[in-house]
Amino acid sequence: MTADPSGARRAGGRASAHLFLLAGQRPGDSHAEALATAHRYGRAAEATGFAGVWIAEHHFISYGVCPSAITFAAHLLGATRRIEVGTAACILSNRHPVALGEEAALLHELSGGRFRLGVGRGGPWVDLEVFGTGTERFAGGFHDALELLTRWLSGQPTVAGNHRFPFRTVPVVPRPRGRLPVWVAATSTGTVEVAARHGLPLLLGLHADLAEKAELLDRYARTAEAHGKNSAGIEHASAHLAQVAETDAAARLAVTAGLPPLLAGTREYVRLDGAPAGQRDPAGYVEHLIDIHPVGTPDRCRQAVARAAALPGVRHLLFMVEAGGGPEIGLANMRRLATDVLDLAPAGDPQPLTPTSASQAAGSASDGEATRYHAIHGNDFR
C-alpha cells in the first residue's frame, strides 16, 4: 500500500476511508447518466478527502451498469491525482487471469501505484454462458485463476501456466516492480479459505453484519495459519452503507425511499441453475442494512464506524453513499459523512487535464510532453 500523504484520511483511528460505487441505474436515468453520476462521485471523493474509490462490476443488469470495473478505474485514475482507485470487484470467472493481470500491471505503472485490484468469483449467472467460460469455471476454477493471477502480479520476470490455463513460459510485460496486492471479495467460507491459502486480503460485502464478518475473518486467520501464511499484516477491506442525517428517522426514511429502486435491479439476474434471482424480501433486506450500518445521526454513525474499524485486520472501510437517492442527495451525504463523521481533511480540487495537455498526451512527441502529461495526473513520471 502507498503511504497516505495527508495523514488525515482515516476512519475509526486505524482504517482508511474509501468510497464504494455501485453505479446503479435509477428509474428515469439512462445508462450513460448512471455512469456519469458514479464518475462524479469519484471526482468528489478526492476533493472531499477520501483515501480511495472502489467500483463494482456487473453484467446485463441495471443494479450496476459498469461491466468493466478496471476500465472505469482507468478512466477515474486519469481524472484524479491523489486517491487510490480499486475494483470491487472484477469477476475472475468471466475472464482470463493473465489478461486481467496485464491490465492491472499497466494501470499500476501508469497511475504511479494508485490502482488497487479486487477480484471476485461471481455467481452462477448468464455471464458465464455469454463469455464462454462456463459453470465449471465458476464452480471449480477460482483457485486456479487466482493462483495464476497472483503469480503474474508477483514481480517475476516470466510466468508459465497451470493445469487449468496451460501455456509455455512467457515474459511478464509490463513487469510489476514488486508484488501487487489483490483483494478477494468473499461472501462464503469457501472463498475466504481460498483467499487465506493465497495470503490475500478479503473484501467483505455490505450484506454481512459485524458478527458475520468477524467470523469470516477468524476463519481466514485459522486457514492462513494452517497453510503457513502469516495473517498478522494482512489489510482487509469492509464495505458499509452510510447515510447521515439530522435524526435517525430522517436517515432511515432516506434509505427506505432511495435504496429499493436500486435493489430492484437484482431481480434482473439470470441464473444458469434456474433458481430465482434477487432479494425475496427487499423491504426486510433494506431494514437489515439500516440496522447494521452507519445510518442515522453523526453520533450514531461515528459509533458504527468505530465498531467496523475495530474488526480484526480491517484497515480499509468502503462506504456506499448512493442509497438515499439521486446524485445531489448522494453528494451531500458523502460530504456530510466526510466532515461530520470521518473528520476527513479536504484535499482541494484536482488540477484538470486541459485541452492543450490532452493533445500533448495524444501526440507525445517528446519526453517533456510526456512528463507534463503524467505530472498533471499525479503519476510521478520519471
Side-chain angles (χ1 to χ4, degrees):
M1 301 294 295
T2 57
D4 178 7
S6 73
R9 296 168 191 164
R10 315 301 294 178
R14 296 180 300 172
S16 58
H18 304 248
L19 214 60
F20 170 68
L21 297 179
L22 180 62
Q25 181 187 16
R26 292 188 174 278
D29 287 348
S30 67
H31 296 160
E33 287 169 328
L35 291 170
T37 295
H39 188 261
R40 186 180 175 191
Y41 283 134
R43 290 293 303 273
E46 177 169 72
T48 308
F50 284 86
V53 174
W54 299 64
I55 180 71
E57 176 175 296
H58 298 89
H59 294 277
F60 318 127
I61 60 173
S62 62
Y63 176 63
V65 300
C66 173
S68 173
I70 199 166
T71 301
F72 191 104
H75 187 58
L76 190 56
L77 283 166
T80 55
R81 297 180 61 190
R82 289 172 293 272
I83 56 171
E84 302 167 4
V85 181
T87 59
C90 292
I91 306 305
L92 196 51
S93 299
N94 290 341
R95 65 187 76 196
H96 197 288
V98 169
L100 182 60
E102 287 181 324
E103 293 173 348
L106 180 65
L107 283 186
H108 180 79
E109 295 304 314
L110 288 174
S111 67
R114 292 191 291 129
F115 176 66
R116 302 289 177 260
L117 178 62
V119 300
R121 192 163 73 106
W125 318 129
V126 72
D127 315 5
L128 301 167
E129 177 181 290
V130 173
F131 297 117
T133 52
T135 55
E136 204 282 326
R137 263 290 297 277
F138 163 74
F142 187 61
H143 167 77
D144 296 324
L146 198 58
E147 188 276 332
L148 179 53
L149 175 66
T150 53
R151 277 195 294 121
W152 192 268
L153 296 176
S154 67
Q156 299 177 31
T158 60
V159 167
N162 55 30
H163 73 96
R164 187 177 296 272
F165 304 95
F167 57 86
R168 69 189 68 187
T169 300
V170 294
V172 176
V173 180
R175 177 185 174 188
R177 287 170 283 183
R179 181 179 295 275
L180 300 191
V182 178
W183 280 260
V184 178
T187 60
S188 68
T189 56
T191 302
V192 166
E193 290 174 353
V194 170
R197 289 170 59 186
H198 289 281
L200 300 176
L202 300 177
L203 205 169
L204 300 171
L206 289 168
H207 72 284
D209 61 27
L210 296 185
E212 292 173 297
K213 290 182 177 181
E215 184 177 344
L216 293 176
L217 290 165
D218 181 64
R219 180 179 287 268
Y220 179 98
R222 288 187 279 109
T223 304
E225 181 180 1
H227 286 84
K229 303 288 185 181
N230 182 10
S231 62
I234 300 296
E235 297 191 353
H236 301 294
S238 179
H240 300 267
L241 184 150
Q243 189 71 35
V244 190
E246 289 297 324
T247 66
D248 291 343
R252 178 180 292 269
L253 180 62
V255 174
T256 55
L259 186 55
L262 290 178
L263 292 178
T266 63
R267 294 196 293 266
E268 299 165 17
Y269 276 119
V270 176
R271 297 177 60 106
L272 295 181
D273 58 8
Q279 299 293 330
R280 295 183 179 178
D281 179 15
Y285 182 60
V286 170
E287 291 296 325
H288 168 70
L289 293 178
I290 290 172
D291 290 340
I292 68 174
H293 290 303
V295 175
T297 63
D299 184 61
R300 184 182 189 276
C301 291
R302 279 193 293 270
Q303 294 177 29
V305 169
R307 290 191 295 269
L311 286 169
V314 168
R315 295 295 179 267
H316 311 282
L317 297 181
L318 282 53
F319 296 102
M320 176 188 169
V321 298
E322 305 163 78
E328 299 307 324
I329 295 174
L331 287 168
N333 181 42
M334 180 182 67
R335 295 184 183 111
R336 188 157 194 189
L337 174 68
T339 57
D340 295 356
V341 177
L342 303 175
D343 296 323
L344 301 184
D349 292 330
Q351 182 178 351
L353 178 62
T354 65
T356 300
S357 298
S359 64
Q360 288 174 351
S364 196
S366 68
D367 289 341
E369 290 175 349
T371 301
R372 285 191 294 274
Y373 171 72
H374 285 270
I376 287 171
H377 284 74
N379 292 345
D380 195 25
F381 181 75
R382 296 289 185 270

